[in-house]
Amino acid sequence: MLDLIEFGLFVTLLIVGFFAGTIVEKRHYASIRKREREYADVLAFTMRFPPDRVTPQRAFLVYGTVVISSDYFKTFVAGLRNLFGGRLRTYETLMERARREALLRLKHDARRQGAKLVICVRFETTTISTGYAASIEVFAYGTALIPDRESAIAFGARSGVAA
């Protein structure tokens, strides 16, 4: 009888995990898409240096960090997939959401400080295992650039571009 109760609890957790996880993931993707449109004017690049035609800039560090946990269903499916090998598609969406969220938080930090351009964007990822659910932390960082007002005016005069 006790085994039947444990099995019932297991199946219940799987079902709840599947539906709750799906709802949470869809809401998070909707929020990400909305904020990506909102922060489209803040450009982020992986290149190390700004283009030559960019006016001299003030530079400072910006970052965004997020920790996202997997639901019980995805953890179970990934565990089964580990037995046979292959791609863990259930965790790929987790990683994608985390990277996009960290980048959005980086752009928010840049905009808050008045920047519209971020270069040398990098990502660091850490896995946090708590036994039943896998969690990941993604840390995005980069160098935000703000045109120096005096330099921008001087650059515009030298190049014939209006400031």
Side-chain angles (χ1 to χ4, degrees), residues 97-110:
R97 285 174 38 216
R99 280 192 300 267
R100 289 170 70 178
E101 181 68 37
L103 185 61
L104 282 167
R105 292 180 182 190
L106 173 140
K107 287 182 171 189
H108 173 76
D109 189 27

Side-chain angles (χ1 to χ4, degrees), residues 12-156:
T12 303
L13 286 175
L14 277 181
I15 292 170
V16 169
F18 175 75
F19 287 111
T22 301
I23 291 168
V24 168
E25 187 174 292
K26 285 182 181 180
R27 285 182 182 169
H28 190 212
Y29 269 125
S31 168
I32 286 172
R33 285 189 295 273
K34 177 184 173 200
R35 288 179 294 137
E36 282 175 341
R37 287 188 299 273
E38 181 182 331
Y39 288 108
D41 63 324
V42 180
L43 304 177
F45 298 100
T46 59
M47 63 187 178
R48 195 166 172 200
F49 300 105
D52 292 337
R53 297 282 301 160
V54 174
T55 61
Q57 311 280 321
R58 287 185 300 132
F60 53 91
L61 177 70
V62 290
Y63 66 92
T65 186
V66 66
V67 176
I68 296 184
S69 179
S70 176
D71 59 66
Y72 190 79
F73 179 77
K74 284 186 178 185
T75 302
F76 177 74
V77 171
L80 287 178
R81 190 65 176 177
N82 274 335
L83 291 175
F84 305 108
R87 288 176 52 189
L88 295 174
R89 290 185 183 96
T90 58
Y91 285 158
E92 287 176 1
T93 59
L94 188 72
M95 286 295 298
E96 179 191 1
R97 285 174 38 216
R99 280 192 300 267
R100 289 170 70 178
E101 181 68 37
L103 185 61
L104 282 167
R105 292 180 182 190
L106 173 140
K107 287 182 171 189
H108 173 76
D109 189 27
R111 181 186 279 172
R112 184 179 54 80
Q113 297 183 52
K116 296 282 186 175
L117 176 65
V118 182
I119 61 168
C120 201
V121 174
R122 302 290 186 262
F123 293 93
E124 296 290 330
T125 305
T126 305
T127 303
I128 304 168
S129 294
T130 58
Y132 291 110
S135 300
I136 58 164
E137 175 192 22
V138 175
F139 179 68
Y141 60 94
T143 304
L145 302 175
I146 300 177
D148 190 22
R149 184 72 180 142
E150 294 81 29
S151 298
I153 293 170
F155 180 81

